Amino acid sequence: MAADAVLRVGSKRFTESYILGEVLTQTAAAHGKAEHRQGLGNTAIVLAALQAGSIDVYPEYLGTIDLEILKNARPTTLAEMRTALARIGLGVAVPLGFDNTYALAMRGDSRGVSKLSELAAHPELKLGLSHEFLGRADGWPGLAQRYGLPQQPRGLDHGIAYEALAQRQVDLIDIYSTDAKIGQFGLRLLTDDLGYFPRYDAVLLYRRDAPARFPAAWRAIEQLEGRITPAAMIAMNAAVELQGKSFAIVAADWLAGGAKAGAPGARSALMAKLFDRSLWKLTREHVMLVLLSVALACLAGIPLGVLAAYVPRLRHAVLALTGVLQTVPSLALLAMLIPLLGTIGTVPALVALFVYALLPIVRNTCTGILQVPDGLRMAALALGLGRRDRLLQVDLPLALPVMLAGVKTAAVMSVGTATIAAFIGAGGYGERITIGLALNDNDMLLAGAIPAAVLALLTQGAFEALEWLLAGRRKL
């Protein structure tokens, strides 16, 4: 193992996964270098990161491994799972000590339904289910089939589901059995009377070469086996979601003995979250993503726009292609890029942002050149200018204001779109937004959204100043 090797721990985008990721990272950090690539999204994204080698280990659940990752039609044994995972270079180990199964919950004052089988008689109930649960093999599709449920659920982020239920916008949500808010909101969990949900014992899913590459850190991680009780996990979730503690502090408290995990804490104010120590780092990451992606889009988009303007038979194909790329959903594009590029982080984020910045640059370059008066082109020909000289000395200078407007649009759009980079560990203001969504913490959401909005305004202002300067030079 190289002396500078880093054990990379991943986590999904919900409270418990963030906390467990911190527990693993801090445990490993006492025996070598370790970093936490947090909030990487759903199972598909974090699994792709693991298989690509961008992370070495992350906390997972046996039911998810069995039915969602390995796609088994029925629950299998741990030994069978290990055999199947070994074929793809992965392993499962270190049962942490608690089961966090899925369940469906209703408000405590709801009457007449106490079992999942009774839902079939109440098609009027409004279901708000997490997007991952809606698409999982062990989620809504199988559950609806097993119980013959007629409801048509709507997708709802897990972080805001409890409030939506409390405000009676929905009647039923999916929850994790270790959620801290179950008691706070006085919810009633429906009995899984047909035994649909398997056990979801918390374990570690890892690359099989990780123990050999990080022997000391892995031995320390193995000491976590069986140490996290259900009560301890609920207390840690509560310390984050109800008392406003950070994931890192809660994990450190538990590792220090667990006595502080449920201690009272105070949520920090918006200004404290907005101007905390991470602001400069996140700003640097966000600006870098925007600058590089727009620069790459200019390098590719301007020649494509020129090609579309000069070759009419290719014009519709070029504009259609860039338009289609713009319509690909951001998270779907990121999920496809991870296995394609074999990494998470900055590289796939830049590729995605580059794709989304292309359309306005290509379209405006083409439009600007086509708007050059025919008389000026004829004059250029009369002066003996070739096509290359005409492009550089006539078409591009005259098209520059329209082209610059396209670059400005791309840059301003990229400031907002760059928040998706946090879903694959590329940083930026999106880190705060993903944490805010996971915790339903409006202050944290604003702490990410406000700097992004300010940066977008500054970007637009900078381009408008540049346009003003260019207009002044043309008048001279």
Side-chain angles (χ1 to χ4, degrees), residues 153-189:
R154 57 191 288 194
L156 194 63
D157 190 271
H158 188 73
I160 64 174
Y162 284 93
E163 280 67 22
L165 187 64
Q167 295 171 11
R168 300 181 182 275
Q169 296 176 359
V170 295
D171 300 308
L172 188 145
I173 62 173
D174 63 294
I175 58 95
Y176 307 121
S177 59
T178 56
D179 279 358
K181 294 182 179 179
I182 296 173
Q184 181 194 18
F185 285 82
L187 303 187
R188 183 172 73 252
L189 274 58

Side-chain angles (χ1 to χ4, degrees), residues 16-73:
E16 185 166 292
S17 193
Y18 280 109
I19 295 171
L20 293 175
E22 277 297 322
V23 169
L24 295 178
T25 304
Q26 293 180 28
T27 299
H31 302 274
K33 295 181 180 179
E35 69 176 36
H36 183 192
R37 294 193 166 187
Q38 61 180 15
L40 295 180
N42 61 13
T43 302
I45 290 179
V46 74
L47 177 65
L50 185 68
Q51 292 179 299
S54 298
I55 59 174
D56 300 296
V57 59
Y58 79 95
E60 192 50 280
Y61 304 89
L62 286 181
T64 301
I65 295 172
D66 203 8
L67 303 180
E68 178 68 7
I69 294 175
L70 296 177
K71 307 296 184 184
N72 291 320

Side-chain angles (χ1 to χ4, degrees), residues 205-425:
L205 190 62
Y206 64 96
R207 293 180 60 84
R208 284 175 60 84
D209 61 351
R213 289 166 51 220
F214 307 96
W218 194 259
R219 285 194 296 271
I221 287 173
E222 288 178 324
Q223 299 307 307
L224 296 172
E225 183 168 339
R227 287 182 54 195
I228 305 178
T229 65
M233 194 68 251
I234 292 172
M236 285 192 279
N237 288 334
V240 171
E241 295 184 357
L242 308 182
Q243 298 158 18
K245 292 187 175 184
S246 72
F247 306 118
I249 289 176
V250 169
D253 288 346
W254 181 82
L255 287 170
K260 301 178 183 178
R267 285 195 178 274
S268 54
L270 170 60
M271 297 304 289
K273 293 179 178 179
L274 186 59
F275 295 104
D276 71 6
R277 291 181 301 175
S278 68
L279 179 60
W280 170 241
K281 178 182 80 74
L282 298 179
T283 300
R284 187 173 66 250
E285 293 168 346
H286 208 93
V287 170
M288 183 270 293
L289 287 169
V290 173
L291 286 178
L292 286 180
S293 61
V294 174
L296 291 171
C298 288
L299 288 175
I302 291 175
L304 281 174
V306 171
L307 179 67
Y310 273 61
V311 186
R313 66 178 181 275
L314 296 179
R315 186 174 305 152
H316 292 298
V318 170
L319 294 177
L321 176 62
T322 54
V324 168
L325 290 175
Q326 188 86 10
T327 66
V328 179
S330 56
L331 289 180
L333 180 60
L334 289 174
M336 291 186 290
L337 286 173
I338 292 172
L340 183 64
L341 299 175
T343 184
I344 61 172
T346 302
V347 174
L350 281 176
V351 173
L353 293 173
F354 159 79
V355 166
Y356 292 130
L358 268 180
L359 179 60
I361 294 174
V362 172
R363 183 180 57 201
N364 279 42
T365 299
C366 179
T367 301
I369 292 175
L370 292 176
Q371 287 178 353
V372 174
D374 290 335
L376 291 177
R377 290 199 176 97
M378 295 297 295
L381 289 174
L383 291 172
L385 294 179
R387 175 170 292 190
R388 177 178 177 277
D389 291 333
R390 191 188 79 188
L391 172 67
L392 295 178
Q393 299 179 34
V394 178
D395 289 346
L396 287 181
L398 292 175
L400 185 59
V402 179
M403 293 167 58
L404 191 60
V407 176
K408 177 177 71 173
T409 300
V412 173
M413 286 173 51
S414 293
V415 172
T417 310
T419 56
I420 66 171
F423 286 89
I424 56 170

